[in-house]
Amino acid sequence: LCQGRQSRALIIVNTHFCSRDANVVFGRRRGAKREAEKLSRTLSQLNYKVKLMHNKTAREIKELYHEESCCEQGDYFLSIISSHGEQGLIMGCDTEPVKLSHIFQLLSSEKQAKLSKIPKIFFIQACRGPELDQGVLVECDGAEPEPNCFSDCLSIPPQTVIMFACSPGYVAFLNLCGSMFLQALLKVLQGEERHLPLHSLMTRINWEVALCCQARGAYEGCKEMPCFITNLLQEVWPFSA
């Protein structure tokens, strides 16, 4: 088993994808590696014990979270996943899917009782569907939810927070400079906002991406709207000294 009581962070970034028959079916995710390395350095400066893993298969991803579930944890467990994805799934570098619900359950108190009181925080940079967000401003009192758009909520164990780069059904943008979402996270962690309670920090990231970022090139003008789900029972300050 891992030793020590330092808060832990697991970063998984997949940039190259190849199926078993050696046919590449997903594009290379340029910009993601350097972005993940910056996040690793920043979290280390914030006193996290960081494990940064590149190009892991679906099976290896599951094994990494199983290993983390057996580690002696500190005050928080944090994980950042950067990969291709679909609604409820992220892709291993072998193009095989991993259900997010499986990852969350590996770290649930049902599997490991010692994790029951530790806040588990996920930041997920991956597409959740094929739709492009054109950034249309609308006002409404309410709407019927899309089918299955809350399926991720139902699989979240207690004391867990998940922040997605985009809304259900939509794409998450990435370019040579990195992603809108993780660049906003990095900016917040390197600034004074890191001292905010977690829900306020995530709301700040929402604001940064929604109002200050838009796609360029072939997707000129398209927007992105992060969202987060939480079932924490108390305020937490995971990045504040």
Side-chain angles (χ1 to χ4, degrees), residues 16-69:
H16 294 75
F17 297 80
C18 190
S19 59
R20 292 180 180 178
D21 57 6
N23 292 322
V24 176
V25 295
F26 290 126
R28 180 182 175 187
R29 301 181 66 248
R30 296 181 177 181
K33 179 181 178 181
R34 182 169 58 179
E35 178 177 73
E37 290 170 345
K38 289 181 180 178
L39 283 163
S40 177
R41 289 194 294 270
T42 298
L43 287 169
S44 294
Q45 293 168 359
L46 295 175
N47 203 34
Y48 279 80
K49 184 176 179 61
V50 182
K51 182 187 289 186
L52 174 59
M53 308 301 292
H54 296 277
N55 294 317
K56 295 301 174 182
T57 66
R59 180 176 179 179
E60 289 170 335
I61 290 171
K62 295 174 186 176
E63 290 173 348
L64 283 167
Y65 284 102
H66 176 70
E67 291 171 5
E68 286 297 324
S69 72

Side-chain angles (χ1 to χ4, degrees), residues 188-203:
V188 167
L189 294 184
Q190 292 176 340
E192 290 304 309
E193 291 106 333
R194 71 181 186 276
H195 299 299
L196 293 170
L198 183 60
H199 79 278
S200 297
L201 182 147
M202 289 181 163
T203 302

Side-chain angles (χ1 to χ4, degrees), residues 7-21:
S7 290
R8 298 178 61 82
L10 172 62
I11 303 175
I12 298 174
V13 53
N14 286 342
T15 55
H16 294 75
F17 297 80
C18 190
S19 59
R20 292 180 180 178
D21 57 6

Side-chain angles (χ1 to χ4, degrees), residues 110-127:
E110 293 180 3
K111 299 289 184 180
Q112 294 287 345
K114 63 184 178 182
L115 295 175
S116 61
K117 295 182 179 180
I118 297 174
K120 294 161 282 288
I121 306 161
F122 292 85
F123 294 94
I124 300 175
Q125 166 61 34
C127 293

Side-chain angles (χ1 to χ4, degrees), residues 65 82 90 112-113 129 152-153 168 174 186 201 203 210:
Y65 284 102
S82 179
I90 55 100
Q112 294 287 345
D152 293 317
C153 306
L174 174 75
L186 190 62
L201 182 147
T203 302

